[in-house]
Amino acid sequence: MRYFDRRHAGEALATRCLALARTGALTDPLVVALPRGGVPVAAVVARALKAPLEVLVARKIGVPGRPEVGVGALVGEDPPVFDEGALAALGLTVERLAEDVERERAELRRREEVYRAGRPPLGAAEVAGRTVLLVDDGLATGGTARAALRYLRRLGPARLVLAVPVGDAAAAAALRVEADDVECVHQPRNFHGVGEWYLDFDQVQDAEVISILRSSGTAV
């Protein structure tokens, strides 16, 4: 099963979430998107659930010289969440990654300012006591989702759900210790990357994120 694009993936995920809502498991839902790719997916889900849409910016921390290989992630001003096993396997230390962390944190702050239109970072005022659905366009290693779930957890949601249209089965299983529920529509047996399960997986640009947020009433 491959999705045409992120909107198509959002429709499949929305169908799953609506079924969950009918069981009474999604009381007072808030949909939180991980930009950039998660925003088009989450917008469809939020519209289907008639729920507000928010964004939570997270940044992957990559291996020096190989930024596509993630060994950790950042959310807000929280300390970075590292994959200790990956660090050990690659012979890396937290100290060696300090400059990379600060660079990613600077980009995180820039994106928060742009996407949240000057509003404060997502906090307990929006999250506490609600059912929060964290949405991305897919789940590979789960490092970014783990950092985001931990950030959201400390804001006091009544229920925390990770919802993605496609993902690695092992990563989804591992994140069940971080979320109250993990909804992953498609878990291929041979999973090598999120992009292979989309026909159109072009990078989402800032302008598209801002447009979606404005149309949802999230940004002003």
Side-chain angles (χ1 to χ4, degrees):
M1 175 184 178
R2 289 188 177 181
Y3 298 111
F4 298 123
D5 54 19
R6 290 179 177 87
R7 182 180 296 274
H8 179 213
E11 291 168 352
L13 185 57
T15 298
R16 172 71 70 87
C17 291
L18 283 170
L20 191 61
R22 285 192 287 271
T23 71
L26 299 183
T27 304
D28 192 19
L30 171 69
V31 177
V32 177
L34 285 174
R36 301 174 182 159
V39 174
V41 179
V44 179
V45 174
R47 191 159 51 248
L49 294 175
K50 296 181 173 58
L53 173 66
E54 285 286 359
V55 287
L56 179 62
V57 181
R59 294 292 297 169
K60 179 172 67 176
I61 302 167
V63 174
R66 298 169 62 197
E68 73 284 356
V69 180
V71 292
L74 282 172
V75 179
E77 298 302 317
D78 283 4
V81 176
F82 286 106
D83 181 335
E84 299 295 341
L87 291 181
L90 293 164
L92 292 172
T93 64
V94 172
E95 291 74 21
R96 183 178 172 188
L97 294 169
E99 289 187 10
D100 300 83
V101 169
E102 287 311 305
R103 184 178 61 253
E104 294 301 336
R105 201 180 294 280
E107 175 61 12
L108 184 152
R109 290 168 177 158
R110 183 198 72 80
R111 292 194 185 194
E112 277 195 338
E113 178 67 23
V114 171
Y115 300 159
R116 296 188 62 78
R119 294 182 301 136
L122 187 66
E126 296 90 355
V127 170
R130 307 187 73 155
T131 297
V132 176
L133 292 92
L134 179 67
V135 176
D136 204 354
D137 55 9
L139 183 68
T141 64
T144 302
R146 178 175 289 103
L149 288 166
R150 290 182 182 179
Y151 179 94
L152 289 168
R153 180 68 76 186
R154 70 174 179 78
L155 299 181
R159 183 175 177 81
L160 185 55
V161 179
L162 175 64
V164 292
V166 63
D168 177 74
L175 288 172
R176 292 187 184 280
V177 301
E178 307 285 353
D180 298 307
D181 185 18
V182 176
E183 295 294 327
C184 184
V185 178
H186 186 39
Q187 299 182 48
R189 182 170 299 176
N190 297 309
F191 183 92
H192 302 293
V194 174
E196 67 179 320
W197 302 99
Y198 286 81
L199 296 177
D200 176 359
F201 198 64
D202 288 346
Q203 187 175 35
V204 177
Q205 302 298 324
D206 282 351
E208 182 179 353
V209 171
I210 294 166
S211 175
I212 292 171
L213 295 176
R214 282 178 176 165
S215 66
S216 74
T218 304
V220 295

